[in-house]
Each structure stands twice: as structure tokens, then as C-alpha cells.
């Protein structure tokens, strides 16, 4: 279960910054879990437990949540290196065996991004929004991604992590 973030919001906002010099320490499952839960996790589940009734910590057009979150672990502690899908409903990482973290690392352009312990990636599932919003879905998806990125910055700062958005 995720730990409560015992930080002062004004301190987190003041200290939030882009980091390019990452620690060489491995990242552990507790830290990854806390980062994912407070940034994109299920902060409120209703009694019905339906997809539409599970609120997340960022706004989404029509509450349709077209973003999916993936994690590439390059230097894991108690979590194995690999590429994972974040199943937000169950708050678990599902390992993707068809792609390796090395393939992900090879497409990164900057050396400093290859030095990070891990990488969080977002994708946009067009079908979740397109029937309701048409081409406006793309704009809503980008706005959602921006909110998620800011969550990762703020939560990462609260956890003492270096964060860099690419």
C-alpha cells in the first residue's frame, strides 16, 4: 500500500525542477509504487468499482482517461529490470516480455536520460475518446499528458527523486 506523502505543498512546488544528474542508486518497488499511485493511480474507487467510477489524481476529458502508463526499469533494486505496464486498477506492474529495457534505452537520444534508473512512458488510446470527441480527442489527450507530467514532477520531488520530462 502506498505511503502518505508527508510534505509541505509549497516546499514541493518551490523545489520542483528538471534534473539531468541522476543518482546511480537503483530504484526500489516501494518508490516506484508511490510515484505511480500518487501520480496516476486509483485515488478513489466507488462501490460499483466500474472503470468510469474510479477517479485518478488528474483531470481527464469526460472522465475517459485515454492515457496508459508504462515503466522501463534500467537499474532496479528489488524490482527486476524490464518494461512494465502499470495496471492502475490493481496498482501493479505487469511485465511486458515482448520488449526489453535495453531496446527502450537504445532509442533515448541524450546520455543523461540513459543514466536514469528508470523511465516512465505515456501512451494515448484514441478509441477511448474518439467516438465522443472526434479529433478534439488529441488535444484532450495532450492536456491530460501535461497534467500527468506535472504530477510526476511534484510527486517525484516529494519523494526526493530527480525528474526530467522528455
Amino acid at each position: 500500500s502506498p505511503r502518505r506523502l508527508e510534505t509541505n505543498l509549497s516546499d514541493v512546488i518551490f523545489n520542483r525542477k528538471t534534473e539531468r544528474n541522476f543518482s546511480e542508486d537503483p530504484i526500489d518497488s516501494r518508490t516506484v509504487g508511490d510515484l505511480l499511485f500518487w501520480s496516476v493511480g486509483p485515488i478513489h474507487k466507488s462501490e460499483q468499482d466500474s472503470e468510469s467510477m474510479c477517479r485518478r489524481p488528474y483531470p481527464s476529458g469526460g472522465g475517459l482517461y485515454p492515457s496508459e502508463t508504462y515503466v522501463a526499469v534500467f537499474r532496479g533494486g528489488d524490482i527486476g529490470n524490464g518494461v512494465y505496464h502499470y495496471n492502475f486498477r490493481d496498482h501493479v506492474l505487469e511485465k511486458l516480455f515482448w520488449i526489453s529495457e535495453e531496446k527502450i534505452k537504445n532509442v533515448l537520444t541524450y546520455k543523461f536520460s540513459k543514466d536514469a534508473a528508470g523511465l516512465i512512458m505515456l501512451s494515448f488510446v484514441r478509441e477511448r475518446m474518439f467516438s465522443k470527441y472526434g479529433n478534439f480527442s488529441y488535444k484532450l489527450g495532450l492536456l491530460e499528458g501535461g497534467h500527468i507530467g506535472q504530477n510526476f514532477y511534484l510527486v517525484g520531488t516529494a519523494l526526493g527523486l530527480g525528474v526530467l520530462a522528455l
Side-chain angles (χ1 to χ4, degrees), residues 47-82:
E47 294 294 319
Q48 292 99 2
D49 198 39
S50 72
E51 187 81 18
S52 63
M53 303 305 256
C54 188
R55 196 167 58 85
R56 302 186 207 177
Y58 55 91
S60 180
L64 298 174
Y65 299 104
S67 297
E68 287 290 327
T69 306
Y70 298 86
V71 180
V73 178
F74 302 140
R75 198 170 46 259
D78 62 340
I79 180 173
N81 290 1

Side-chain angles (χ1 to χ4, degrees), residues 26-158:
I27 193 157
D28 62 86
S29 60
R30 177 98 192 234
T31 302
V32 172
D34 290 342
L35 180 63
L36 290 169
F37 180 84
W38 293 112
S39 298
V40 293
I43 59 171
H44 181 272
K45 289 184 184 181
S46 76
E47 294 294 319
Q48 292 99 2
D49 198 39
S50 72
E51 187 81 18
S52 63
M53 303 305 256
C54 188
R55 196 167 58 85
R56 302 186 207 177
Y58 55 91
S60 180
L64 298 174
Y65 299 104
S67 297
E68 287 290 327
T69 306
Y70 298 86
V71 180
V73 178
F74 302 140
R75 198 170 46 259
D78 62 340
I79 180 173
N81 290 1
V83 181
Y84 300 86
H85 170 256
Y86 176 56
N87 175 333
F88 82 94
R89 176 151 311 282
D90 297 325
H91 185 58
V92 296
L93 289 176
E94 302 165 331
K95 188 158 188 174
L96 304 178
F97 291 99
W98 51 269
I99 188 156
S100 72
E101 73 280 3
E102 286 304 315
K103 285 186 179 183
I104 298 291
K105 192 181 262 194
N106 286 337
V107 299
L108 296 173
T109 305
Y110 305 107
K111 182 184 177 329
F112 56 78
S113 60
K114 296 177 187 215
D115 292 338
L119 172 72
I120 295 174
M121 301 165 285
L122 300 176
S123 69
F124 172 73
V125 182
R126 174 186 177 269
E127 294 76 26
R128 288 192 194 148
M129 297 193 92
F130 201 78
S131 63
K132 183 172 184 176
Y133 293 111
N135 286 334
F136 187 56
S137 300
Y138 297 109
K139 184 174 186 176
L140 293 174
L142 290 170
L143 288 168
E144 182 171 305
H147 289 291
I148 292 170
Q150 181 71 334
N151 281 358
F152 279 119
Y153 264 100
L154 295 174
V155 174
T157 299

